[in-house]
Amino acid sequence: MGFGELFIDRVRRIMSNNWYYVIINGKRHGCFHSTRGLKQGDPLSPALFILGDEVLSRMLNLLHQNQMYKGFQMELKGPLINHLCFADDIIIFTTGIKQSLQHIMKTISTYEAVSDQLLNKNKSHFMVPSNTSSDIIVMIKETTGFSRKESPINYLGCSLYIGGQRIIYHSELVDKVIKKISGWQSRILSFGGRVTLVKHMLQSIIIHTMAAISCPKTTIKYLKSITADFYWGIDKERKKYH
């Protein structure tokens, strides 16, 4: 990636020269050497993770140079969409061709061997259209080792789905707001604290989602009624207090 030898040597020394002491009742009792990784909370850790993610991203983009790899595109003249990546969440777009899937898994295996970051297949899934044949689904499972997940899936707090929009796709958003404003923590807050809690929920959860996708009108009306009822409960509580 163009880094100088001095920078690479410093990073290597920081990562390979870690020692830990066991403290019992405020006194050190022996130490041991860490064979890999950084110390917990090290500010260098997220920077190195981003560099590693950049390597994986470039490796996936290089797949388009392979003539045996068939990528995913929305239309014939449109750009090839390979992947979306944010921190440790990554979505890979490809066709359901076995050879293309094998190239992707080989790239991931190479990255695992180089970076020591292992893929958790128990938390990894694939999503295909509902009219996909069972033979293709079985082939994808055998090639990737992933399990199938039905639409929708959540990515960065937003629902991703195939086909038309349905109210049920946004039920998790509603449940999240209800859980936050009606939990036991809200009962011990003052009037001003509960008002602040509602405003925070509206500004962080709902606005973040609606900035990326358009929620159905029914969902928006229901969220308004929830917050209105909660405000009414606060106002009733305030009158009772006075």
Side-chain angles (χ1 to χ4, degrees), residues 145-229:
F146 302 158
S147 59
R148 182 186 179 185
K149 191 168 186 179
E150 298 291 341
S151 176
I153 61 174
N154 286 329
Y155 181 69
L156 304 182
C158 299
S159 297
L160 301 182
Y161 47 85
I162 298 175
Q165 188 171 220
R166 299 175 61 185
I167 298 175
I168 194 173
Y169 291 164
H170 305 276
S171 60
E172 186 173 343
L173 172 65
V174 177
D175 294 339
K176 188 182 296 185
V177 174
I178 295 176
K179 183 178 179 181
K180 289 291 186 179
I181 65 177
S182 61
W184 65 268
Q185 296 95 336
S186 62
R187 300 174 187 172
I188 61 177
L189 293 176
S190 63
F191 168 74
R194 296 181 70 180
V195 172
T196 303
L197 176 64
V198 173
K199 291 181 178 180
H200 174 72
M201 291 303 103
L202 293 175
Q203 293 177 355
S204 61
I205 298 178
I206 301 177
I207 293 180
H208 166 73
T209 303
M210 295 181 64
I213 59 176
S214 298
C215 295
K217 293 182 179 180
T218 305
T219 302
I220 297 176
K221 290 181 180 179
Y222 187 66
L223 288 171
K224 287 182 178 179
S225 65
I226 293 173
T227 54
D229 291 342

Side-chain angles (χ1 to χ4, degrees), residues 134-148:
S134 58
D135 295 337
I136 295 179
I137 294 175
V138 172
M139 181 272 296
I140 296 175
K141 289 182 179 179
E142 293 177 349
T143 305
T144 62
F146 302 158
S147 59
R148 182 186 179 185

Side-chain angles (χ1 to χ4, degrees), residues 53-64 69 72 80-86 89-94 104 155:
D53 254 11
E54 179 65 20
V55 173
L56 177 60
S57 180
R58 294 188 182 190
M59 292 172 66
L60 291 172
N61 286 331
L62 287 175
L63 288 174
H64 291 297
Y69 175 79
F72 172 84
L80 292 173
I81 303 174
N82 187 276
H83 66 279
L84 297 175
C85 184
F86 183 84
D89 290 329
I90 183 169
I91 297 180
I92 301 176
F93 301 90
T94 185
I104 291 176
Y155 181 69

